[in-house]
Amino acid sequence: MNVFFTQAQEAAKQWSELSTAFFQEQAKLFQSPLTAGAGAATDPNAAMAGLVKATEQADEFMVKAVKLLDAQSAQLMDAALQDNAAKESLAPVIAGYKSASQAVVAAVEQLAQARKALLDKTRAG
């Protein structure tokens, strides 16, 4: 089988696993404080804690997703150009793309860290 198609199939499998796990966990976090028991008054602090946890997990998912996209894009480009005559002439463009992609990964990681610091302060105060 073609290397590109093998890489694409693996990428699809990884995205499926990552997104399925994330959305299942998000559903649990949003539902648990709201379904404490039939007729029972829900604790606002527990509900807020669940929402904060859901936000943290969403940020973690965002970082994982961007890192996965970065890695898979590089692999797919390499596989697509493996036997392509234009590979050498496209090398500077590919290097520029990979560098820019790494900058996006770093920015997303910084954003997630900043939001985590804000959430930590929210919890403490």
Side-chain angles (χ1 to χ4, degrees):
M1 187 184 291
N2 183 311
V3 174
F4 177 79
F5 289 113
T6 303
Q7 291 288 342
Q9 286 176 332
E10 182 61 27
K13 179 182 171 194
Q14 290 172 344
W15 277 104
S16 177
E17 291 169 357
L18 179 64
S19 61
T20 299
F22 169 72
F23 288 110
Q24 286 175 347
E25 191 60 31
Q26 287 286 290
K28 287 180 202 171
L29 286 169
F30 277 104
Q31 291 172 356
S32 64
L34 302 175
T35 57
T42 57
D43 178 11
N45 291 330
M48 182 55 104
L51 294 175
V52 168
K53 182 70 175 166
T55 302
E56 288 175 337
Q57 286 189 346
D59 286 343
E60 290 170 11
F61 173 77
M62 178 178 58
V63 170
K64 288 178 184 177
V66 169
K67 285 181 174 181
L68 183 60
L69 180 62
D70 173 59
Q72 289 177 342
S73 295
Q75 290 171 350
L76 289 171
M77 273 194 289
D78 291 344
L81 293 172
Q82 184 176 4
D83 296 325
N84 192 316
K87 184 177 182 176
E88 292 302 317
S89 64
L90 290 174
V93 175
I94 292 170
Y97 169 82
K98 288 180 179 180
S99 177
S101 185
Q102 283 295 304
V104 169
V105 169
V108 168
E109 288 176 324
Q110 288 176 345
L111 174 65
Q113 290 170 359
R115 189 173 354 229
K116 182 176 179 354
L118 286 172
L119 291 172
D120 288 346
K121 287 189 183 284
T122 300
R123 249 189 302 246

Tab-separated table of all heavy atoms in Angstrom, residues 1 6 9-10 13 15 21 24 26 36 42 48 50 53 55 64 71 73 84-85 89 92 101 107 114 118 125:
chain	number	residue	atom	x	y	z
A	1	MET	N	0.848	-1.181	0.000
A	1	MET	CA	0.000	0.000	0.000
A	1	MET	C	0.894	1.245	0.000
A	1	MET	O	1.972	1.251	0.557
A	1	MET	CB	-0.912	0.002	1.235
A	1	MET	CG	-1.948	1.109	1.211
A	1	MET	SD	-2.979	1.224	2.685
A	1	MET	CE	-3.943	-0.247	2.539
A	6	THR	N	-1.225	4.898	3.913
A	6	THR	CA	-0.992	4.297	5.229
A	6	THR	C	-0.945	5.390	6.293
A	6	THR	O	-1.561	5.258	7.354
A	6	THR	CB	0.322	3.491	5.238
A	6	THR	OG1	0.252	2.496	4.218
A	6	THR	CG2	0.567	2.844	6.581
A	9	GLN	N	-4.480	6.800	6.843
A	9	GLN	CA	-5.309	5.901	7.649
A	9	GLN	C	-4.932	5.982	9.125
A	9	GLN	O	-5.811	6.002	9.993
A	9	GLN	CB	-5.163	4.458	7.148
A	9	GLN	CG	-5.870	4.202	5.853
A	9	GLN	CD	-5.631	2.789	5.336
A	9	GLN	OE1	-4.609	2.178	5.610
A	9	GLN	NE2	-6.589	2.282	4.585
A	10	GLU	N	-3.660	6.031	9.412
A	10	GLU	CA	-3.207	6.150	10.804
A	10	GLU	C	-3.654	7.478	11.402
A	10	GLU	O	-4.076	7.549	12.552
A	10	GLU	CB	-1.687	5.996	10.885
A	10	GLU	CG	-1.137	6.067	12.295
A	10	GLU	CD	-1.664	4.991	13.237
A	10	GLU	OE1	-2.053	3.896	12.773
A	10	GLU	OE2	-1.698	5.237	14.457
A	13	LYS	N	-7.299	7.301	12.330
A	13	LYS	CA	-7.467	6.494	13.542
A	13	LYS	C	-7.097	7.313	14.788
A	13	LYS	O	-7.829	7.307	15.787
A	13	LYS	CB	-6.587	5.249	13.454
A	13	LYS	CG	-6.658	4.353	14.659
A	13	LYS	CD	-5.719	3.167	14.513
A	13	LYS	CE	-5.635	2.408	15.824
A	13	LYS	NZ	-4.529	1.466	15.849
A	15	TRP	N	-7.094	10.605	15.158
A	15	TRP	CA	-8.090	11.653	15.381
A	15	TRP	C	-9.360	11.084	15.990
A	15	TRP	O	-9.961	11.691	16.877
A	15	TRP	CB	-8.410	12.386	14.076
A	15	TRP	CG	-7.409	13.442	13.782
A	15	TRP	CD1	-6.404	13.375	12.866
A	15	TRP	CD2	-7.266	14.700	14.436
A	15	TRP	NE1	-5.658	14.518	12.912
A	15	TRP	CE2	-6.164	15.358	13.853
A	15	TRP	CE3	-7.967	15.343	15.448
A	15	TRP	CZ2	-5.746	16.618	14.261
A	15	TRP	CZ3	-7.545	16.602	15.848
A	15	TRP	CH2	-6.459	17.223	15.263
A	21	ALA	N	-12.430	10.106	22.999
A	21	ALA	CA	-12.102	10.159	24.423
A	21	ALA	C	-12.418	11.536	25.003
A	21	ALA	O	-12.990	11.657	26.093
A	21	ALA	CB	-10.629	9.818	24.633
A	24	GLN	N	-16.328	12.165	25.249
A	24	GLN	CA	-16.940	11.339	26.294
A	24	GLN	C	-16.647	11.929	27.672
A	24	GLN	O	-17.539	12.003	28.525
A	24	GLN	CB	-16.417	9.905	26.203
A	24	GLN	CG	-16.982	9.130	25.050
A	24	GLN	CD	-16.371	7.744	24.893
A	24	GLN	OE1	-15.351	7.420	25.488
A	24	GLN	NE2	-17.002	6.922	24.082
A	26	GLN	N	-15.898	15.081	28.356
A	26	GLN	CA	-16.610	16.353	28.474
A	26	GLN	C	-18.068	16.118	28.860
A	26	GLN	O	-18.608	16.826	29.707
A	26	GLN	CB	-16.533	17.131	27.152
A	26	GLN	CG	-15.184	17.728	26.869
A	26	GLN	CD	-14.892	18.927	27.731
A	26	GLN	OE1	-15.493	19.986	27.568
A	26	GLN	NE2	-13.985	18.779	28.670
A	36	ALA	N	-27.003	15.173	40.011
A	36	ALA	CA	-26.576	14.654	41.312
A	36	ALA	C	-27.592	13.676	41.892
A	36	ALA	O	-27.256	12.815	42.676
A	36	ALA	CB	-26.343	15.808	42.274
A	42	THR	N	-28.730	20.807	43.279
A	42	THR	CA	-27.343	20.711	42.834
A	42	THR	C	-26.504	21.759	43.553
A	42	THR	O	-26.945	22.874	43.804
A	42	THR	CB	-27.233	20.896	41.316
A	42	THR	OG1	-27.817	22.150	40.972
A	42	THR	CG2	-27.935	19.779	40.576
A	48	MET	N	-19.640	24.440	39.335
A	48	MET	CA	-18.555	25.318	38.862
A	48	MET	C	-17.249	24.545	38.747
A	48	MET	O	-16.508	24.710	37.777
A	48	MET	CB	-18.378	26.514	39.801
A	48	MET	CG	-17.299	27.459	39.329
A	48	MET	SD	-17.573	28.023	37.637
A	48	MET	CE	-18.139	29.641	37.932
A	50	GLY	N	-16.924	21.424	38.076
A	50	GLY	CA	-17.047	20.599	36.874
A	50	GLY	C	-16.817	21.401	35.609
A	50	GLY	O	-16.150	20.936	34.678
A	53	LYS	N	-13.097	22.174	35.346
A	53	LYS	CA	-12.403	20.963	34.901
A	53	LYS	C	-12.643	20.727	33.410
A	53	LYS	O	-11.719	20.365	32.670
A	53	LYS	CB	-12.865	19.759	35.726
A	53	LYS	CG	-12.177	18.476	35.379
A	53	LYS	CD	-10.741	18.490	35.820
A	53	LYS	CE	-10.118	17.124	35.558
A	53	LYS	NZ	-8.690	17.150	35.655
A	55	THR	N	-13.225	22.984	31.167
A	55	THR	CA	-12.427	23.989	30.452
A	55	THR	C	-10.966	23.572	30.387
A	55	THR	O	-10.328	23.685	29.342
A	55	THR	CB	-12.565	25.363	31.134
A	55	THR	OG1	-13.947	25.727	31.153
A	55	THR	CG2	-11.768	26.421	30.414
A	64	LYS	N	-3.257	18.995	22.434
A	64	LYS	CA	-3.015	17.681	21.817
A	64	LYS	C	-3.411	17.683	20.348
A	64	LYS	O	-2.714	17.119	19.505
A	64	LYS	CB	-3.792	16.592	22.558
A	64	LYS	CG	-3.239	16.256	23.921
A	64	LYS	CD	-4.102	15.204	24.597
A	64	LYS	CE	-3.633	14.914	26.005
A	64	LYS	NZ	-4.516	13.949	26.686
A	71	ALA	N	2.224	17.157	13.639
A	71	ALA	CA	2.991	15.949	13.340
A	71	ALA	C	2.449	15.227	12.119
A	71	ALA	O	3.213	14.803	11.236
A	71	ALA	CB	2.984	15.018	14.553
A	73	SER	N	0.610	16.433	9.648
A	73	SER	CA	0.801	17.211	8.420
A	73	SER	C	2.212	17.024	7.878
A	73	SER	O	2.407	16.840	6.674
A	73	SER	CB	0.536	18.696	8.676
A	73	SER	OG	-0.808	18.903	9.007
A	84	ASN	N	8.406	12.180	-5.387
A	84	ASN	CA	8.017	13.258	-6.283
A	84	ASN	C	9.251	14.027	-6.744
A	84	ASN	O	10.101	14.384	-5.931
A	84	ASN	CB	7.041	14.189	-5.551
A	84	ASN	CG	6.361	15.163	-6.472
A	84	ASN	OD1	6.979	15.763	-7.333
A	84	ASN	ND2	5.063	15.334	-6.257
A	85	ALA	N	9.308	14.306	-8.029
A	85	ALA	CA	10.448	15.028	-8.592
A	85	ALA	C	10.533	16.461	-8.056
A	85	ALA	O	11.618	17.047	-8.016
A	85	ALA	CB	10.343	15.050	-10.114
A	89	SER	N	12.697	21.044	-5.069
A	89	SER	CA	12.336	22.443	-5.303
A	89	SER	C	11.343	22.954	-4.261
A	89	SER	O	11.281	24.152	-3.999
A	89	SER	CB	11.782	22.633	-6.714
A	89	SER	OG	10.580	21.916	-6.877
A	92	PRO	N	12.322	24.349	0.448
A	92	PRO	CA	12.237	25.592	1.237
A	92	PRO	C	10.808	25.920	1.691
A	92	PRO	O	10.601	26.417	2.803
A	92	PRO	CB	12.758	26.676	0.293
A	92	PRO	CG	13.499	25.958	-0.778
A	92	PRO	CD	12.882	24.597	-0.874
A	101	SER	N	4.305	26.018	11.500
A	101	SER	CA	3.451	25.099	12.243
A	101	SER	C	3.954	24.923	13.672
A	101	SER	O	3.171	24.894	14.623
A	101	SER	CB	3.388	23.755	11.515
A	101	SER	OG	2.484	22.897	12.146
A	107	ALA	N	2.484	28.721	20.360
A	107	ALA	CA	1.498	29.737	20.749
A	107	ALA	C	0.295	29.113	21.441
A	107	ALA	O	-0.200	29.640	22.448
A	107	ALA	CB	1.062	30.534	19.520
A	114	ALA	N	-1.571	30.036	29.978
A	114	ALA	CA	-2.123	31.286	30.518
A	114	ALA	C	-3.537	31.071	31.051
A	114	ALA	O	-3.887	31.559	32.130
A	114	ALA	CB	-2.118	32.369	29.440
A	118	LEU	N	-5.113	31.385	34.935
A	118	LEU	CA	-6.353	32.108	35.282
A	118	LEU	C	-7.335	31.208	36.016
A	118	LEU	O	-7.954	31.613	37.002
A	118	LEU	CB	-7.010	32.666	34.016
A	118	LEU	CG	-6.345	33.872	33.390
A	118	LEU	CD1	-6.988	34.184	32.044
A	118	LEU	CD2	-6.446	35.076	34.315
A	125	GLY	N	-9.391	31.898	44.500
A	125	GLY	CA	-10.001	33.115	45.000
A	125	GLY	C	-11.449	33.074	44.964
A	125	GLY	O	-12.232	33.631	45.591
